[in-house]
Amino acid sequence: MVAVDRLGGEGVWVLLQQAGAIGLLAGSLLAARARPRRPVLLGNLALAAYAAPLLLLAAAAPAPVTVSAYCLALIALGFLNPVWETVVQGQFPPEVLARVTSYDWLMSLGAMPLGYALAPLAAGAWGAPAPLAVAGALVLVACVGTAAVPGVRRLGWPAPAPPAVAEPAPAGR
């Protein structure tokens, strides 16, 4: 609504979504190439950029600035998602991986319905900028807080699996 009402109309909203899609794709492609020593740490610190478009929407910043910030935020998210999945798969044995992944997604997406229910109420009570600013602050706190965890700072890429050794064919045939 902020993009439509205060930044220039539905075209700005469409442009935001397109910039986000391009950013997500670019971040995913970057994740396929980049091999930072501390991938989860870098991804979480980069994801702190997601606070920028929220704060810029709260401030009704100019559309080009907000669209650019959203593109950068989605580059960070596009980078973090495949990196996170790769690292998680290397950290847990296959027999518990499905359970770990389901808890991960539950914690990642579980609060969304609550946010969808409360954000309009907060916007009605305090105006649209308030929930956007709070969300931006929460993103910053969550990303920096995650980066402050020593295990996250030490977590690297999983060790490569040893190459499969072909067994010799049985003799006598």
Side-chain angles (χ1 to χ4, degrees), residues 54-121:
L54 296 169
L55 297 171
L56 289 167
L57 282 168
V65 174
T66 306
V67 169
S68 298
Y70 191 61
C71 183
L72 290 174
L74 271 284
I75 288 172
L77 182 61
F79 175 79
L80 178 61
N81 278 342
V83 165
W84 173 255
E85 294 299 330
T86 301
V87 171
V88 165
Q89 289 178 26
Q91 294 294 316
F92 294 96
E95 61 271 10
V96 299
L97 189 57
R99 198 168 347 154
V100 169
T101 303
S102 67
Y103 287 132
D104 174 32
W105 278 104
L106 175 65
M107 298 306 294
S108 296
L109 303 177
M112 286 177 70
L114 182 63
Y116 288 148
L118 295 180
L121 298 174

Side-chain angles (χ1 to χ4, degrees), residues 126-165:
W126 299 297
L132 288 165
V134 169
L138 288 173
V139 166
L140 280 174
V141 168
C143 290
V144 172
T146 300
V149 174
V152 170
R153 291 195 312 267
R154 289 190 297 266
L155 193 57
W157 293 102
V165 177

Side-chain angles (χ1 to χ4, degrees), residues 30-49:
L30 178 63
R33 297 270 184 202
R35 294 309 244 189
R37 248 183 53 213
R38 304 289 181 242
V40 176
L41 174 63
L42 178 64
N44 272 287
L45 290 175
L47 192 59

Side-chain angles (χ1 to χ4, degrees), residues 1-8 56-58 60 128-129 132:
M1 292 302 299
V2 172
V4 173
D5 292 344
R6 295 173 40 197
L7 297 184
L56 289 167
L57 282 168
L132 288 165

